[in-house]
Amino acid sequence: MKIYTKTGDKGTTALFGGTRVPKHHIRIDSYGTVDELNSYIGLIRDQNINTLYKDILIVIQNKLFTVGAILATDPEKAILKNGKERLNINKISDEDIAILEREMDGMNEALPPMTHFVLPGGHQTVSFCHIARTVCRRAERLASALNDLEPFEANALTYLNRLSDYLFVLARKLSHDLQADEVKWIPEKK
């Protein structure tokens, strides 16, 4: 199988279902940003971190492929002529979201309470988490804008929202585990 098809040489690409759209279409930007997020999560997973975190990150990466598939599906072609869904995979469930919440709750128990915003950084691995968090927020903003235009499954958007929270808590937990400095943001007074 060849990787290059030449079908996108004029600036268009196909959605799941065959509809061709410009590569700058918000739908493409949405799932492309989810793909970018998935790559950054892979970078976090490649660090020397607790195996439990790595296992959860693999689950998250799989779920992000699901979110990407949802975003890549043309809503006008989502249902086949036989009445079945074109995207014949498990969608994002309430339990998928609950897993992130439970993981955050567990990590938070070991952390001091937050009293200030924290500056991203302190350790390379922590910085990777913060980058992933901000990419996740961008993916969420784009998906939210797409949802306003062409609504899709609500749990996909909720998952992105919860995932950005998870990545923030993971950054804090890794700071704690790695004994990295967590620098508080203290605004300068006039």
Side-chain angles (χ1 to χ4, degrees):
M1 177 177 134
K2 286 188 177 185
I3 296 299
Y4 58 93
T5 62
K6 301 182 183 182
T7 59
D9 289 353
K10 298 217 185 313
T12 65
T13 192
L15 299 176
F16 192 48
T19 304
R20 294 205 67 82
V21 297
K23 290 187 177 186
H24 61 270
H25 190 282
I26 190 169
R27 184 172 292 283
I28 307 307
D29 211 6
S30 292
Y31 73 74
T33 304
V34 169
D35 187 36
E36 180 184 354
L37 169 61
N38 208 333
S39 296
Y40 277 113
I41 289 175
L43 186 60
I44 299 166
R45 193 170 49 84
D46 288 342
Q47 303 304 300
N48 185 18
I49 60 175
N50 185 307
T51 305
L52 171 65
Y53 304 149
K54 289 183 181 210
D55 292 344
I56 294 297
L57 291 172
I58 287 174
V59 170
I60 289 168
Q61 287 187 289
N62 278 290
K63 296 304 173 187
L64 286 176
F65 265 94
T66 300
V67 170
I70 291 166
L71 296 174
T73 301
D74 180 353
E76 293 182 11
K77 296 187 177 179
I79 304 298
L80 300 170
K81 290 179 183 176
N82 64 9
K84 293 185 179 181
E85 290 184 36
R86 178 175 300 278
L87 194 57
N88 186 23
I89 60 173
N90 289 332
K91 305 302 185 308
I92 301 298
S93 68
D94 292 341
E95 179 57 22
D96 295 328
I97 295 163
I99 287 170
L100 295 177
E101 293 170 350
R102 284 194 299 271
E103 289 300 315
M104 282 187 279
D105 291 344
M107 288 187 287
N108 262 330
E109 288 178 10
L111 296 172
M114 258 192 73
T115 57
H116 294 81
F117 287 109
V118 294
L119 300 180
H123 189 281
Q124 182 173 323
T125 304
V126 174
S127 294
F128 290 151
C129 278
H130 282 292
I131 291 169
R133 173 186 56 80
T134 61
V135 172
C136 189
R137 286 287 189 213
R138 178 164 31 98
E140 181 187 6
R141 289 190 304 271
L142 288 165
S144 175
L146 174 62
N147 191 56
D148 282 352
L149 299 171
E150 297 176 346
F152 55 85
E153 187 177 328
N155 271 356
L157 194 54
T158 302
Y159 191 81
L160 290 173
N161 180 266
R162 207 66 82 251
L163 179 56
S164 61
D165 296 335
Y166 169 85
L167 290 166
F168 177 75
V169 175
L170 179 61
R172 288 199 71 223
K173 183 66 168 81
L174 288 171
S175 286
H176 180 266
D177 293 354
L178 297 165
Q179 298 177 333
D181 287 335
E182 191 172 71
V183 179
K184 295 175 182 176
W185 177 61
I186 310 293
E188 293 179 16
K189 304 289 184 190
K190 286 188 178 184

